[in-house]
Amino acid sequence: MSITPVILCGGSGTRLWPLSRQSFPKQFVPLLGDKNLLQLTLERLAWCAAPAICVASEDHRFLVADALDSQHAAGQVLLEPAARNTAAAMALAALLARSQGNADPLLLFCPSDHHIPDASAFARTIKQGVAAAEGGAIVTFGVVPSFPSSAYGYIQQGDDRADGSRSVARFIEKPAPAAAQALLLQGNVLWNAGIFLVRASVLIEALARHAPDILQSCENAMAQPRTEAVGRVSFVRPEAASFLGCRSQSIDYAVMEPHDNVAVVPFQGQWSDVGSWNAVAELSTADGDGNRVTGHGHALQARNTFIHAPGRTVVALGTQDLLIIDTPDALLVAQRDRAEQVKDVVAHLSARNISQAATHRRVARPWGWYDSVDVGERFQVKRIGVKPGASLSLQKHHHRAEHWIIVKGTAEVTRGQEVYLLSENQSTYIPIGEVHRLHNPGKMVLEMIEVQSGSYLGEDDIVRLEDIYGRQPDAAKTDK
């Protein structure tokens, strides 16, 4: 049995602000120990025989590649030119899979940001849906509900099918609290987890029947995609103009609700879509007063308070029913019953052009990361980390000079016509207008402190002359 996992890596994760942001959504955030949700999803799908297809945005391509690399896994990263919801994302993946060696593979579509700790139970559940999928059904997997949630859609189960699954009587959108309670009392309902198993041809035929315009846009976009290999990972880019004209709609509305051959298999294990800070809090153990603390938090004389403090010490004294989320550049304090409204905070900050709405102080780059430690009039200080073997672009700046101080590892510096090595505690100076590059020739992460000085320190003051990551000069605002 060969199943190709397709991991849907879209979504902005605004309800987990300030930890999750547009430039660094929740699937890439290490919420549980030192692994992020995408890495845990890849681990959970390791039993599938085929390499994964990850559907993601161009902005997050190297975050996905890093996750694949951390699992020593080969895979394809299918890059959407724009977000067009799950129907288009799944259509692109089905067309890509069908164009390759296995003409009609079984595709297992999974969100990248769910927490399912029992990987063995999950695999057993998926295998229970294989017979129905091979028989031509679209198989969805519903979670047995543990409480009347208004945050999830529901699936009402129908009759038993001969293939061991159940038919779907109807899909129910996110209900009001009273309606959710009634559904659980009625029984025979499941939370809709957004996980599907289906033949590529069956999904394509269903899209042709129920959403032909979405399929046509995706077929046009995938007629001649561009492919770029970087190590074990291949980036696949559909043709942008065709895809940008695609209608945005979820697979539930576009296909699942009107389709007549949909099966469901219940999943009995622990599951969370980690869709709010209350859901994150539930993943940690509560003390006798209902407090849950991760990182460097302390709850004193407090009740039902959640503290997420990965960096510095955070103390809650005498609080009750609060969410306290600390990051280096933003702090959220909210009543627990307002967790679903955190997305409104992001909208408020975005409307006022506050950068923390979308970006972190520490920014991931294809070669590593940088952290803006301090900024003032005519100066900026950054801490920079470069992965082993990685290089920043060959570049120059019109308005700023840079001082580099190596604090860990070895740096190969290109400055004009010179190429030289620097080790820990050594430094160099890059004058305004000088062509330069930083490369890590070692086997450990290179870290350095960069002090910028000049009349203009904007991220768009960069002329990129060479770049091994294929970034174009108009991408200069991403820096380095």
Side-chain angles (χ1 to χ4, degrees):
M1 174 180 60
S2 177
I3 295 176
T4 298
V6 180
I7 304 175
L8 304 175
C9 302
S12 58
T14 54
R15 286 178 294 179
L16 292 189
W17 185 89
L19 200 60
S20 173
R21 307 190 195 182
Q22 181 181 339
S23 65
F24 200 62
K26 68 175 181 177
Q27 59 267 31
F28 306 115
V29 174
L31 283 169
L32 304 165
D34 59 351
K35 292 182 179 178
N36 61 44
L37 292 171
L38 175 55
Q39 289 172 311
L40 294 173
T41 300
L42 289 165
E43 285 185 0
R44 188 165 62 249
L45 298 173
W47 59 273
C48 296
I53 297 173
C54 297
V55 186
S57 75
E58 182 78 26
D59 290 343
H60 302 142
R61 65 195 187 280
F62 288 103
L63 295 173
V64 177
D66 284 347
L68 286 164
D69 187 61
S70 73
Q71 304 302 309
H72 307 289
Q76 294 175 292
V77 184
L78 180 54
L79 298 172
E80 295 178 285
R84 290 294 183 268
N85 218 312
T86 50
M90 291 171 64
L92 290 177
L95 292 166
L96 176 63
R98 195 178 65 170
S99 71
Q100 298 175 336
N102 185 349
D104 193 16
L106 272 178
L107 303 178
L108 174 60
F109 291 92
C110 294
S112 61
D113 55 359
H114 289 182
H115 176 55
I116 304 174
D118 193 339
S120 297
F122 177 77
R124 289 194 299 270
T125 302
I126 298 302
K127 291 172 184 177
Q128 291 172 20
V130 168
E134 289 183 333
I138 301 177
V139 182
T140 186
F141 298 87
V143 176
V144 176
S146 54
F147 64 95
S149 173
S150 296
Y152 307 136
Y154 286 75
I155 301 169
Q156 183 176 335
Q157 300 179 80
D159 299 328
D160 291 334
R161 293 167 49 112
D163 53 35
S165 64
R166 301 283 296 275
S167 64
V168 172
R170 63 177 176 138
F171 291 92
I172 304 163
E173 286 305 302
K174 297 175 182 178
Q181 181 70 50
L183 285 171
L184 259 65
L185 292 174
Q186 163 195 316
N188 211 30
V189 294
L190 305 167
W191 286 335
N192 187 351
I195 300 171
F196 307 98
L197 183 67
V198 61
R199 286 275 185 205
S201 62
V202 170
L203 178 59
I204 291 169
E205 288 165 8
L207 286 161
R209 178 178 169 188
H210 303 295
D213 59 320
I214 292 177
L215 178 62
Q216 186 64 62
S217 295
C218 293
E219 286 180 331
N220 292 343
M222 291 298 290
Q224 291 184 309
R226 293 186 294 116
T227 301
E228 172 194 3
V230 179
R232 291 185 294 244
V233 177
S234 294
F235 295 111
V236 180
R237 291 179 171 85
E239 194 271 318
S242 298
F243 189 75
L244 292 175
C246 185
R247 176 166 56 90
S248 178
Q249 192 174 34
S250 72
I251 194 67
D252 301 271
Y253 283 128
V255 171
M256 302 301 290
E257 292 190 3
H259 200 57
D260 55 6
N261 190 6
V262 180
V264 63
V265 175
F267 176 61
Q268 301 277 354
Q270 183 183 348
W271 168 88
S272 172
D273 73 342
V274 201
S276 71
W277 279 113
N278 282 333
V280 175
E282 294 297 323
L283 300 178
S284 56
T285 303
D287 65 15
D289 293 316
N291 301 307
R292 302 170 189 268
V293 176
T294 61
H296 303 285
H298 301 268
L300 305 177
Q301 302 168 33
R303 294 181 59 82
N304 298 323
T305 293
F306 174 63
I307 306 173
H308 181 82
R312 57 186 169 180
T313 299
V314 174
V315 180
L317 175 62
T319 60
Q320 184 169 336
D321 299 324
L322 285 187
L323 300 165
I324 303 172
I325 317 302
D326 188 44
T327 69
D329 63 346
L331 170 68
L332 172 70
V333 180
Q335 290 285 343
R336 293 198 63 160
D337 61 2
R338 300 297 180 93
E340 294 293 331
Q341 295 171 291
V342 171
K343 62 182 182 295
D344 298 333
V345 174
V346 179
H348 172 87
L349 298 175
S350 297
R352 287 154 179 80
N353 295 317
I354 295 174
S355 63
Q356 287 87 345
T359 59
H360 280 280
R361 199 183 80 174
R362 175 165 164 152
V363 178
R365 306 304 317 134
W367 40 261
W369 51 266
Y370 70 82
D371 184 357
S372 297
V373 177
D374 193 12
V375 61
E377 187 177 355
R378 298 183 64 89
F379 82 91
Q380 181 169 211
V381 181
K382 289 184 177 180
R383 183 178 166 211
I384 294 177
V386 185
K387 295 182 288 189
S391 299
L392 282 65
S393 60
L394 184 68
Q395 59 187 255
K396 64 180 180 180
H397 311 291
H398 292 303
H399 303 286
R400 72 174 186 249
E402 296 177 345
H403 300 256
W404 294 351
I405 305 165
I406 310 304
V407 297
K408 180 181 177 182
T410 301
E412 180 185 281
V413 177
T414 299
R415 185 179 64 180
Q417 299 301 312
E418 301 176 89
V419 179
Y420 51 94
L421 294 177
L422 295 177
S423 56
E424 294 179 13
N425 299 318
Q426 293 184 317
S427 63
T428 192
Y429 170 65
I430 310 295
I432 293 175
E434 183 68 270
V435 173
H436 60 279
R437 190 204 299 268
L438 179 66
H439 170 65
N440 181 359
K443 296 184 178 180
M444 61 184 294
V445 173
L446 161 66
E447 292 190 22
M448 76 171 193
I449 302 298
E450 176 182 87
V451 181
Q452 302 175 0
S453 60
S455 60
Y456 178 71
L457 304 174
E459 302 293 356
D460 54 349
D461 178 24
I462 177 174
V463 178
R464 186 174 287 127
L465 305 173
E466 291 179 10
D467 183 57
I468 63 174
Y469 305 108
R471 295 170 296 174
Q472 301 301 314
D474 62 358
K477 291 184 180 179
T478 59
D479 196 27
K480 301 298 184 186

